[in-house]
């Protein structure tokens, strides 16, 4: 392949991505080129005439073809920024979403009042929630569980690289199976998409991200019901359960918490005003 300028290469890549139905193809072409070159996007904009070495151009178009197949951008680059930290991600692991930072903020707020607290994360995935909390609250410890061995391998790598492995125990199990002890907080971003919604999802999600981390039965609440039912046995008397929910699920989820086990339950909104996180406190 002959050497090509940044401008020419981006134009060609953007055309490929546009034909594949990728949203914002020009922007995506630039992001992928920035990653392939190891240069910031500002460099691409300032130096459109820069000649890209043949081997870099070849690698770039491999990345572009992967993106054209609708593989998520963050699986191609292998990383995703979340809560100010850079996390490794890959196939088998849910890509962290910005709205989940609201869950982390609330967990930090709760645990900061405890001091040297201990929390449990159910469905640890890449580890982004637990690691972000532990990175902020140096006195806390955590147990993170997941049914997926692939997810736990990525979480282990992230915990090591981000310096919290000494305070984060990781264990393969299904929900609460085999877990003992008591925790000040249980936190989770569980699967909550109804199974019937699968055809409506973007190809990036539908074809590549792990379905076990996304879908939860007819109404999307199958895992949330189990999460709620088993939480009280593992929480300290003053313990709190918090978890993320999907759009339109707040009323049904709060109804599940209206019993003698829980003293208070509320849904916290995201930045768009959509109920996104449910917080429930145990009854005394």
């Amino acid at each position: 392949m002959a050497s090509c300028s940044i401008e020419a290469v981006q134009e060609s890549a953007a055309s490929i991505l546009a034909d594949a139905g990728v949203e914002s193809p020009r922007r995506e072409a630039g992001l992928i080129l920035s990653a392939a070159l190891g240069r910031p996007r500002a460099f691409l904009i300032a130096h459109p005439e820069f000649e890209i070495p043949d081997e870099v151009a070849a690698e770039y178009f491999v990345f572009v073809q992967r993106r054209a197949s609708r593989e998520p951008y963050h699986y191609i680059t292998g990383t995703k920024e979340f809560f100010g930290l850079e996390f490794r991600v890959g196939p088998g692991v849910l890509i962290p979403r910005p709205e989940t930072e609201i869950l982390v903020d609330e967990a930090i707020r709760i645990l900061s009042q405890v001091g040297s607290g201990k929390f449990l994360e159910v469905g640890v995935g890449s580890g982004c929630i637990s690691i972000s909390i532990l990175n902020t609250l140096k006195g806390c410890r955590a147990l993170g569980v997941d049914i997926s061995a692939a997810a736990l391998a990525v979480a282990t790598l992230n915990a090591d690289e981000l310096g919290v492995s000494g305070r984060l125990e990781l264990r393969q199990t299904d929900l609460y199976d085999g877990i003992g002890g008591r925790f000040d907080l249980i936190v989770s971003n569980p699967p909550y998409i109804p199974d019937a919604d699968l055809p409506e999802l973007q190809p990036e999600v539908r074809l590549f991200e792990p379905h076990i981390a996304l879908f939860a039965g007819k109404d999307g609440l199958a895992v949330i019901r189990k999460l709620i039912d088993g939480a009280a046995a593992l929480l300290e008397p003053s313990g709190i359960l918090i978890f993320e929910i999907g759009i339109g699920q707040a009323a049904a989820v709060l109804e599940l918490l209206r019993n003698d086990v829980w003293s208070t339950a509320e849904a916290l909104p995201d930045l768009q005003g959509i109920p996104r996180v449910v917080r429930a406190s145990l009854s005394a």
Side-chain angles (χ1 to χ4, degrees), residues 192-197 215-222 225 249:
Y192 52 69
I193 300 175
D195 292 348
D197 288 0
F215 299 98
K218 185 176 181 180
D219 61 0
L221 301 180
R225 288 188 182 91
Q249 293 179 331

Side-chain angles (χ1 to χ4, degrees), residues 132-152:
S132 296
I133 296 168
L134 294 171
N135 183 66
T136 302
L137 301 176
K138 308 300 183 184
C140 283
R141 301 181 65 83
L143 169 62
V145 300
D146 205 295
I147 197 170
S148 167
L152 288 169

Side-chain angles (χ1 to χ4, degrees), residues 65-86:
Q65 290 297 340
R66 287 174 62 183
R67 187 68 188 95
S69 77
R70 306 304 291 271
E71 182 177 356
Y73 167 78
H74 295 290
Y75 281 176
I76 296 170
T77 63
T79 63
K80 176 67 168 71
E81 190 273 337
F82 180 86
F83 215 76
L85 300 171
E86 197 77 11

Side-chain angles (χ1 to χ4, degrees), residues 14-25:
S15 177
I16 293 170
L17 296 177
D19 290 344
V22 174
E23 292 183 13
S24 305

Side-chain angles (χ1 to χ4, degrees), residues 84-278:
L85 300 171
E86 197 77 11
F87 287 88
R88 303 261 189 173
V89 294
V93 175
L94 193 69
I95 298 169
R97 268 62 167 180
E99 56 266 27
T100 302
E101 294 189 356
I102 296 165
L103 184 66
V104 174
D105 276 328
E106 183 63 13
I108 290 170
R109 193 184 72 78
I110 294 166
L111 288 165
S112 63
Q113 298 170 359
V114 177
S116 56
K118 184 178 182 182
F119 67 92
L120 166 67
E121 182 184 358
V122 178
V124 73
S126 67
C128 66
I129 293 172
S130 286
I131 293 170
S132 296
I133 296 168
L134 294 171
N135 183 66
T136 302
L137 301 176
K138 308 300 183 184
C140 283
R141 301 181 65 83
L143 169 62
V145 300
D146 205 295
I147 197 170
S148 167
L152 288 169
V154 174
T156 299
L157 180 61
N158 282 324
D160 288 341
E161 291 188 345
L162 294 169
V164 303
S165 56
R167 293 184 288 128
L168 176 59
E169 178 188 353
L170 294 166
R171 190 184 304 173
Q172 186 174 11
T173 189
D174 185 8
L175 282 166
Y176 300 124
D177 287 355
I179 298 175
R182 296 274 180 170
F183 301 88
D184 299 294
L185 176 75
I186 295 175
V187 60
S188 182
N189 178 16
Y192 52 69
I193 300 175
D195 292 348
D197 288 0
L198 174 62
E200 302 171 16
L201 298 178
Q202 291 181 317
E204 287 84 350
V205 178
R206 186 178 73 248
L207 300 177
F208 290 93
E209 294 200 76
H211 286 195
I212 195 170
L214 294 167
F215 299 98
K218 185 176 181 180
D219 61 0
L221 301 180
V223 175
I224 286 176
R225 288 188 182 91
K226 295 177 182 178
L227 189 71
I228 292 171
D229 290 346
L234 292 170
L235 284 171
E236 295 285 2
S238 59
I240 294 173
L241 168 67
I242 60 170
F243 54 94
E244 189 171 314
I245 60 173
I247 295 173
Q249 293 179 331
V253 171
L254 291 175
E255 186 62 34
L256 295 173
L257 292 158
R258 289 196 180 98
N259 52 50
D260 294 339
V261 176
W262 305 98
S263 62
T264 61
E266 60 181 326
L268 310 175
D270 61 19
L271 296 177
Q272 296 178 304
I274 299 168
R276 180 63 64 180
V277 170
V278 167

